[in-house]
């Protein structure tokens, strides 16, 4: 057997004999020639079985290979600019072919399938090149986020998934029975981040979070991954300064590393290239005013109604899109009304009806991708807010302790991984951004 290589590295083996191990992505029968598109997870390359160059039994197998059959081939690499594939431009002349398993009739064919069918077959759909591109970009987004934080003095400190209390609100909790006691799946790692912040100064957590939100939208999952930094002595302005650097780094890293994948996804990257600091910043008050002005100027009554906004209500997705469309970069919206924001957000001095919160809205209709705030650090005020949550003080005793032992101003945010993937990849729906989506009507496979 020749050297086993990854298709991704094929250019380095021009003229040499190599072994490839993978799956048949597609096959074209030309009689004495079989063109096999072989996929190995790292890429796809064309392998050519020529009758004269193979044992008769092997050539017979080549002519019967079904889609997704697993095979091991050995042959020589040659440059051919016309050869399709990822990266493409090379093909392998097969000298030896070994069948590992002849696949049953594969349900996902190159023709169009309905999305529910594809989601039912997600365990197989992840093999297709579009999903391959998305999930590779997802992995890079995670490492780019983590690398930036690691390089800038943030410490990864993990937070629990099973929690005794609500982290965000009490309306979207997944409850579970914990040996006869109530427990919940974490909505956020934030409260623990705040404890860790006091131990390490600058921390972040990254993990799955859970929201039992009965909303069936293109932007909501029941289980999504969130990365959350938390920083001691940071205020809202510090937070926005840091966020814009962090988000730009992630975008620029993907652009640099994934030209091929972005091409597969047909992503127009011009709108991503300009995502560099500084990002525009507008207040909630200003956003409401702009939306109502836009509504006034709009002729279409339906559109008018969608844009109209009462002060004190949260943005719907048409509002987020309209605000984002006013700028050519992601936009920060700050100082939201406290009434619909989380219990831990610091009120604005002299104007307690609004809080020191900030959301980042992505361009092109992708909506809120980060949410954050300054946290209440006054012990009396936080006690009062926890009491109002109504879940019982005992579960929060540890959290209240944080305001008794060296409480400091601090701030943090959470970035939704899947929404970030949807934006960067230009996907219409969040379901393709995660290997196995958990949605209102889906927990299979
Ligand atoms: O705005 P959220 O709810 O903020 C928090 O959970 C804070 N505790 C974070 C923090 O300050 N440490 O959620 C943060 C982000 C949102 O901006 C969004 O990107 C994403 O998480 N997100 C969801 N993504 C997919 N599906 C859902 N159901 C989501 N809910 C929030
Ligand atoms: Mg939010």
């Amino acid at each position: 057997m020749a050297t086993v290589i990854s298709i991704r590295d094929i250019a380095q083996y021009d003229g040499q004999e190599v072994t490839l191990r993978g799956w048949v992505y597609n096959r074209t029968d030309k009689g004495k020639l079989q063109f096999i598109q072989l996929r190995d997870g790292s890429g796809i390359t064309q392998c050519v079985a020529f009758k004269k160059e193979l044992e008769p039994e092997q050539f017979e197998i080549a002519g019967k290979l079904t889609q997704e059959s697993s095979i091991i081939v050995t042959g020589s690499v040659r440059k051919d600019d016309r050869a399709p594939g990822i990266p493409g431009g090379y093909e392998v002349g097969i000298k030896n072919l070994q069948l590992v398993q002849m696949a049953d009739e594969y349900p996902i064919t190159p023709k169009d399938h309905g999305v529910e069918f594809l989601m039912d077959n997600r365990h197989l759909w992840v093999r297709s090149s579009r999903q391959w591109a998305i999930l590779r970009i997802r992995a890079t987004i995670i490492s780019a986020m983590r690398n930036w934080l690691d390089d800038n003095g943030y410490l990864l400190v993990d937070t629990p998934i099973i929690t005794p209390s609500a982290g965000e609100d009490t309306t979207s909790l997944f409850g579970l029975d914990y040996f006869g006691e109530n427990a919940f799946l974490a909505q956020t790692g934030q409260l623990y981040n705040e404890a860790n912040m006091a131990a390490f100064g600058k921390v972040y957590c990254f993990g799955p979070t859970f929201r039992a939100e009965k909303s069936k939208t293109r932007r909501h999952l029941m289980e999504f991954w969130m990365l959350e930094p938390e920083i001691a002595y940071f205020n809202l302005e510090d937070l926005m300064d840091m966020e814009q650097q962090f988000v730009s780094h992630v975008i620029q890293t993907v652009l640099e590393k994934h030209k091929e994948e972005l091409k597969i996804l047909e992503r127009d990257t011009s709108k991503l290239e300009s995502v560099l600091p500084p990002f525009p910043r507008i207040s909630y008050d200003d956003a409401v005013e702009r939306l109502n002005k836009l509504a006034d100027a709009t002729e279409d009554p339906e559109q008018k109604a969608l844009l109209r906004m009462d002060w004190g209500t949260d943005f719907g997705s048409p509002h987020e899109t309209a605000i984002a469309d006013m700028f050519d970069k992601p936009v920060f919206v700050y100082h939201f009304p406290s009434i619909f924001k989380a219990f831990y957000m610091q009120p604005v001095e002299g104007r307690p009806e609004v809080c020191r919160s900030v959301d980042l809205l992505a361009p092109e209709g992708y909506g809120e991708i980060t949410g954050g705030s300054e946290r209440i650090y006054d012990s009396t005020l936080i006690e009062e807010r926890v009491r109002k949550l109504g879940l019982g003080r005992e579960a929060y005793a540890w959290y209240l302790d944080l305001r008794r032992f060296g409480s400091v101003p601090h701030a943090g945010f959470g970035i939704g991984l899947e929404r970030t993937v949807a934006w960067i990849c230009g996907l219409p729906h969040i379901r393709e951004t995660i290997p196995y989506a958990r949605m209102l009507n889906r927990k299979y496979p």
Side-chain angles (χ1 to χ4, degrees):
M1 204 160 78
T3 318
V4 178
I5 68 155
S6 289
I7 290 171
R8 182 137 288 266
D9 303 328
I10 199 161
Q12 299 166 30
Y13 295 89
D14 191 15
Q16 295 180 43
E17 195 159 289
V18 300
T19 295
L20 301 175
R21 305 187 288 199
W23 298 263
V24 175
Y25 198 58
N26 210 341
R27 179 172 62 85
T28 315
D29 190 332
K30 297 269 181 198
K32 286 182 188 146
L33 284 170
Q34 296 292 336
F35 291 96
I36 300 164
Q37 303 305 321
L38 185 74
R39 180 178 75 69
D40 76 344
S42 79
I44 301 178
T45 198
Q46 175 159 287
C47 298
V48 188
F50 184 32
K51 192 167 184 184
K52 280 204 284 195
E53 285 176 10
L54 279 177
E55 299 286 336
E57 320 76 80
Q58 289 195 1
F59 187 75
E60 201 186 316
I61 291 172
K64 288 185 180 154
L65 287 173
T66 51
Q67 190 186 344
E68 289 302 318
S69 286
S70 36
I71 56 172
I72 299 174
V73 301
T74 297
S76 42
V77 177
R78 50 187 183 237
K79 199 162 166 32
D80 181 343
D81 292 334
R82 295 159 309 166
I86 307 167
Y90 291 88
E91 63 173 29
V92 174
I94 303 179
K95 294 188 178 144
N96 189 282
L97 186 150
Q98 184 193 333
L99 177 67
V100 180
Q101 195 247 332
M102 186 67 84
D104 287 355
E105 195 182 332
Y106 196 61
I108 303 176
T109 59
K111 68 162 200 194
D112 272 350
H113 294 285
V115 75
E116 287 307 318
F117 174 83
L118 291 169
M119 287 302 283
D120 283 341
N121 286 285
R122 183 64 173 167
H123 54 298
L124 304 175
W125 191 24
V126 288
R127 301 182 190 191
S128 72
S129 58
R130 179 181 155 85
Q131 304 309 314
W132 177 87
I134 296 168
L135 295 178
R136 283 172 62 86
I137 291 175
R138 174 184 167 106
T140 293
I141 292 173
I142 295 170
S143 61
M145 285 179 177
R146 294 212 34 205
N147 288 343
W148 190 91
L149 293 163
D150 294 343
D151 290 347
N152 283 277
Y154 291 74
L155 189 75
L156 173 71
V157 187
D158 302 315
T159 55
I161 302 296
I162 299 176
T163 60
S165 49
E168 204 60 25
D169 61 66
T170 53
T171 60
S172 65
L173 285 169
F174 274 112
L176 59 106
D177 173 55
Y178 197 75
F179 307 109
E181 284 185 17
N182 281 335
F184 308 101
L185 295 177
Q187 298 168 310
T188 169
Q190 183 195 316
L191 306 196
Y192 296 92
N193 255 354
E194 291 183 60
N196 300 334
M197 168 283 297
F200 300 99
K202 289 158 75 171
V203 297
Y204 70 99
C205 63
F206 175 56
T209 44
F210 305 85
R211 306 269 169 104
E213 284 173 304
K214 290 236 158 97
S215 36
K216 202 172 158 188
T217 77
R218 297 180 298 131
R219 305 277 164 252
H220 284 88
L221 291 167
M222 301 298 133
E223 175 179 315
F224 64 98
W225 287 65
M226 183 158 52
L227 185 143
E228 301 176 82
E230 191 74 30
I231 314 99
Y233 296 103
F234 250 36
N235 64 24
L236 209 61
E237 288 68 38
D238 298 328
L239 196 67
M240 289 190 260
D241 290 347
M242 177 263 178
E243 269 190 57
Q244 62 190 15
Q245 284 187 51
F246 169 82
V247 169
S248 305
H249 171 78
V250 172
I251 303 281
Q252 299 306 322
T253 305
V254 173
L255 286 174
E256 194 182 301
K257 286 195 167 172
H258 289 292
K259 294 199 172 60
E260 191 116 58
E261 287 79 358
L262 292 164
K263 212 161 81 200
I264 292 172
L265 298 171
E266 296 173 359
R267 178 66 165 115
D268 171 8
T269 54
S270 62
K271 294 213 172 74
L272 294 174
E273 278 151 20
S274 60
V275 177
L276 292 168
F279 297 170
R281 302 173 185 194
I282 63 170
S283 67
Y284 170 88
D285 292 350
D286 187 8
V288 170
E289 204 180 306
R290 285 170 186 249
L291 285 167
N292 285 328
K293 268 202 193 126
L294 193 63
D296 290 342
T298 304
E299 300 287 332
D300 178 5
E302 207 175 314
Q303 197 58 22
K304 220 183 198 20
L306 279 176
L307 291 171
R308 183 79 54 206
M309 181 81 199
D310 289 329
W311 195 98
T313 61
D314 201 357
F315 297 136
S317 130
H319 301 121
E320 289 185 347
T321 303
I323 297 164
D325 284 349
M326 296 171 191
F327 305 91
D328 56 2
K329 289 186 194 185
V331 52
F332 288 115
V333 182
Y334 60 88
H335 289 186
F336 284 89
S338 308
I339 189 156
F340 61 79
K341 285 292 187 187
F343 68 96
Y344 49 72
M345 295 188 179
Q346 176 74 22
V348 169
E349 220 179 299
R351 217 189 144 199
E353 70 279 13
V354 289
C355 58
R356 300 278 287 161
S357 51
V358 63
D359 283 2
L360 183 65
L361 307 182
E364 302 172 77
Y366 286 96
E368 176 198 334
I369 58 158
T370 83
S373 72
E374 286 179 20
R375 322 304 192 187
I376 293 172
Y377 66 102
D378 175 72
S379 155
T380 315
L381 185 56
I382 199 76
E383 282 246 13
E384 186 189 311
R385 293 290 184 87
V386 164
R387 206 175 326 114
K388 272 200 204 145
L389 260 182
L391 275 185
R393 194 188 176 282
E394 321 79 69
Y396 292 89
W398 67 272
Y399 184 66
L400 299 174
D401 268 356
L402 305 175
R403 274 63 180 174
R404 296 172 56 220
F405 303 109
S407 191
V408 297
H410 60 287
F413 71 95
I415 181 164
L417 176 63
E418 288 75 18
R419 292 202 189 161
T420 309
V421 175
W423 168 35
I424 296 181
C425 292
L427 308 177
H429 198 290
I430 200 164
R431 65 186 155 227
E432 288 177 82
T433 62
I434 183 163
Y436 302 95
R438 297 292 173 249
M439 296 180 298
L440 203 50
N441 58 352
R442 176 172 300 281
K443 57 180 185 327
Y444 177 91

